[in-house]
Amino acid sequence: MASSTETETKPFSVLFVCLGNICRSPAAEGYSETLASEGVFRDIVKKRGLDSKFQIDSAGTIDYHEGNLADPRMRAASKRRGVEITSISWPIRPSDFRDFDIILAMDKQNRDDIMEAFNRWRFRETLPMMHTRRLGNVLEKHDETEVPDPYHGGHKVLRR
């Protein structure tokens, strides 16, 4: 049984997931008025002095970009907003379902892919039931239910 000190100090862990883990999810490790991503969430948590209360990361549903930095356009757009994104792409893996308290998918297809992976892996490994939501469904200031993918859209989505 975990001691009460361990329970009190265990950070809440959040994993942001998009397709390739080079645009939306590394940017989403946080949230801003125009972009949702890991980097922005991490920045907000840091500015509020809550670093020790959160474990924040991002992943992709595919491994095509594994080991790469975030897309240069996303890094530039985030940097213009004062957020530096330094994460390295990696695909979601079975251990993520044990290691993270919540997984936030950028869109419906990402969520479907995450759940498909979960259902495939749970027969080989003991995995807890997962809290997986679409990020758009938890944002209060927007009517959007999906975070648009800027990868093929050039700078249009990145400039919002």
Side-chain angles (χ1 to χ4, degrees):
M1 179 179 217
S3 72
S4 62
T5 306
E6 285 178 26
T7 306
E8 290 173 24
T9 59
K10 181 189 177 292
F12 186 78
S13 53
V14 181
L15 182 67
F16 293 89
V17 179
C18 68
L19 179 65
N21 190 215
I22 61 167
C23 287
R24 296 173 293 169
S25 57
E29 284 175 30
Y31 168 77
S32 78
E33 291 302 310
T34 56
L35 292 172
S37 77
E38 170 197 356
V40 179
F41 188 67
R42 187 181 306 279
D43 187 62
I44 290 169
V45 165
K46 184 177 180 179
K47 285 178 180 171
R48 293 187 179 171
L50 300 172
D51 304 53
S52 65
K53 303 223 183 272
F54 288 91
Q55 174 193 348
I56 305 161
D57 215 330
S58 63
T61 59
I62 62 170
D63 64 0
Y64 183 77
H65 300 287
E66 186 172 3
N68 295 341
L69 288 169
D71 183 86
R73 297 167 297 169
M74 180 57 76
R75 286 184 286 142
S78 295
K79 194 169 189 170
R80 286 192 300 273
R81 292 167 173 84
V83 177
E84 184 134 9
I85 296 178
T86 59
S87 63
I88 303 294
S89 174
W90 54 277
I92 195 166
R93 50 191 171 229
S95 60
D96 295 334
F97 294 99
R98 286 187 296 274
D99 296 344
F100 290 91
D101 295 310
I102 190 166
I103 297 176
L104 294 173
M106 298 298 110
D107 62 32
K108 183 183 181 315
Q109 184 61 56
N110 299 149
R111 186 177 187 286
D112 291 348
D113 292 342
I114 292 164
M115 294 311 297
E116 182 181 316
F118 173 82
N119 287 325
R120 187 174 59 247
W121 291 329
R122 74 184 175 128
F123 293 109
R124 289 183 270 158
E125 300 189 32
T126 303
L127 298 176
M129 287 309 296
M130 190 70 239
H131 296 292
T132 303
R133 304 269 318 262
R134 284 187 306 183
L135 183 61
N137 289 347
V138 298
L139 299 177
E140 296 175 2
K141 294 184 178 183
H142 295 279
D143 294 330
E144 301 291 330
T145 60
E146 311 246 326
V147 178
D149 190 346
Y151 187 71
H152 294 292
H155 294 291
K156 181 179 177 187
V157 174
L158 298 173
R159 285 196 178 142
R160 282 189 188 179

